[in-house]
Amino acid sequence: MALSLLARHNPLASAEQQLHLLANSTACPPFEQRMAAASLHPLHATGITVFQINVGKLCNQTCRHCHVDAGPDRQEIMSRDTAELCLDKLAQTDIPTVDITGGAPELNPNFRWLVERARALGRHIMDRCNLSVLLLPSQADLAEFLAQHRVEIVASLPYFQSSQTDAQRGEGVFDKSIQALQLLNRLGYGSEGSGLTLNLVHNPVGAFLPPKQEAVEAQFRRELQRRHGIVFNHLYTITNMPISRFLEFLIESGNYDGYMERLANAFNPTAAAGVMCRYTLSVGWDGTLYDCDFNQMLELPIDHGAPRHIRDFDPAKLHTRRIVTGNHCYGCTAGSGSSCGGTTA
Ligand code: SF4
């Protein structure tokens, strides 16, 4: 299996190195300049409706496009103490949705405890699932657990054919993904009226923007049903962010400048006004607070006077905080935008 950037000692494992490349791109104007022209700079949060917890970088896959640089070789994992802190702070709020991500979040030993506790608080839970994790022998009862706790599943599936999916996610991942989707369907996931939501996420396999979401959703719905009898609720298209392993791919394939230019040329003020950081709070595995999971991976914590750690959680300051932006943000504002916030998006 492929190794993470960190395990390969690749310079791009450094957030500082990535930020340097992004800030010095000559293919696009500074993001803040473009936002100012759209009267969106400085960008502020409009509240918090999604409490996103990244429980660590451990994953059973090493996908080529991963913005987390996750993989089996990553050790960073949220402790029970930090997870407890998250729930204590969450309990003080009426934030309706808890979005659990990773890595493969289910591999964190505290994942099920976190789900049970957040459900007991009456919150809607989303699990960012890579699908293949459901087939691991150690996770034999995971799908049933998720169904029992009415967890919404947001699952990555780059394409409905194996070649494109395996090229991005690893040899054999497509077949496992199909088996996992069929397992979820058998439990009721994806069926109207079951109350078990199964959403898919499609991202392009190369250095281009995703096509229109409605068209891709219709195509996936038709082809997955026809080929494998699979049903799902919604499909989101997301743009690959020019960071981490996708940045490595862009540079190695000679596509970096062209991709940044493409993103900037597709800047959409409506998408920019609706970016997910405006309604999301992102907690890192060590409790550090971020505006989004992308800023988290670039080690850009919350700034401008708002608290930076979950222990100092202060809803009043965080609800209207100023958001930390950079040229990577063009990935969120291109075309129709890029969000897969589940039922809240
Ligand atoms: S990358 Fe993060 S901070 Fe930037 S626009 Fe997207 S969600 Fe907001």
Side-chain angles (χ1 to χ4, degrees):
M1 186 175 286
L3 295 173
S4 66
L5 292 169
L6 188 69
R8 285 185 275 131
H9 306 290
N10 187 303
L12 288 175
S14 151
E16 199 181 341
Q17 174 71 12
Q18 295 180 55
L19 288 168
H20 176 76
L21 279 166
L22 287 160
N24 290 292
S25 172
T26 52
C28 57
F31 181 73
E32 289 71 22
Q33 191 178 310
R34 189 57 70 82
M35 290 292 272
S39 305
L40 285 168
H41 180 71
L43 187 66
H44 284 271
T46 53
I48 305 172
T49 57
V50 179
F51 191 95
Q52 186 174 62
I53 307 174
N54 189 315
V55 295
K57 300 185 180 185
L58 176 65
C59 190
N60 58 311
Q61 294 182 180
T62 322
C63 301
R64 195 171 179 186
H65 66 291
C66 182
H67 73 273
V68 177
D69 193 28
D73 56 68
R74 298 305 299 257
Q75 310 286 325
E76 302 89 338
I77 206 148
M78 182 176 277
S79 67
R80 174 67 75 96
D81 284 353
T82 304
E84 272 180 16
L85 212 43
C86 288
L87 287 166
D88 288 349
K89 302 302 181 185
L90 178 72
Q92 297 167 17
T93 74
D94 57 2
I95 298 171
T97 298
V98 177
D99 178 351
I100 310 179
T101 188
E106 306 88 348
L107 296 181
N108 182 313
N110 299 307
F111 173 79
R112 296 187 192 204
W113 174 86
L114 199 51
V115 169
E116 285 165 353
R117 285 283 311 276
R119 278 294 289 167
L121 291 173
R123 311 307 159 98
H124 175 71
I125 317 287
M126 290 164 54
D127 173 30
R128 309 264 169 180
C129 181
N130 70 14
L131 293 175
S132 69
V133 73
L134 298 170
L135 303 183
L136 293 177
S138 64
Q139 303 296 326
D141 58 346
L142 176 60
E144 285 84 358
F145 172 86
L146 295 170
Q148 186 192 342
H149 292 86
R150 322 303 282 173
V151 175
E152 174 184 343
I153 295 180
V154 181
S156 306
L157 188 70
Y159 207 57
F160 54 78
Q161 287 176 324
S162 61
S163 52
Q164 288 93 329
T165 299
D166 285 359
Q168 190 177 95
R169 298 177 75 76
E171 194 63 36
V173 168
F174 179 78
D175 288 346
K176 288 181 188 163
S177 301
I178 294 300
Q179 282 180 53
L181 287 169
Q182 289 168 334
L183 168 63
L184 291 170
N185 278 176
R186 283 198 295 279
L187 292 168
Y189 269 104
S191 298
E192 288 301 325
S194 70
L196 294 173
T197 305
L198 172 59
N199 292 327
L200 302 183
V201 178
H202 158 81
N203 59 306
V205 177
F208 45 88
L209 301 184
K212 285 238 175 294
Q213 186 161 290
E214 297 73 27
V216 183
E217 183 177 66
Q219 191 184 30
F220 269 60
R221 202 177 290 291
R222 185 180 63 243
E223 294 300 325
L224 285 175
Q225 170 71 262
R226 184 175 71 82
R227 295 164 188 242
H228 306 287
I230 288 169
V231 295
F232 61 90
N233 295 96
H234 300 291
L235 177 139
Y236 302 109
T237 55
I238 59 167
T239 303
N240 288 313
M241 296 299 282
I243 67 173
S244 196
R245 294 212 288 260
F246 192 68
L247 179 57
E248 178 193 33
F249 160 75
L250 290 173
I251 292 169
E252 281 187 350
S253 61
N255 279 299
Y256 175 55
D257 285 338
Y259 190 69
M260 292 306 293
E261 191 177 355
R262 211 164 293 145
L263 291 180
N265 286 345
F267 180 85
N268 174 359
T270 305
V275 283
M276 62 184 156
C277 48
R278 303 195 82 181
Y279 55 84
T280 301
L281 180 70
S282 165
V283 190
W285 66 273
D286 62 355
T288 304
L289 298 180
Y290 302 87
D291 293 307
C292 71
D293 207 45
F294 306 120
N295 283 8
Q296 188 173 141
M297 299 316 147
L298 289 171
E299 297 173 14
L300 293 171
I302 280 175
D303 203 352
H304 308 296
R308 284 186 159 199
H309 196 277
I310 190 65
R311 78 173 81 84
D312 305 316
F313 183 79
D314 178 343
K317 285 188 177 157
L318 289 164
H319 274 208
T320 53
R321 71 189 186 272
R322 181 175 160 187
I323 290 164
V324 178
T325 54
N327 284 347
H328 60 291
C329 296
Y330 276 120
C332 290
T333 58
S336 317
S338 189
S339 170
C340 51
T343 52
T344 56

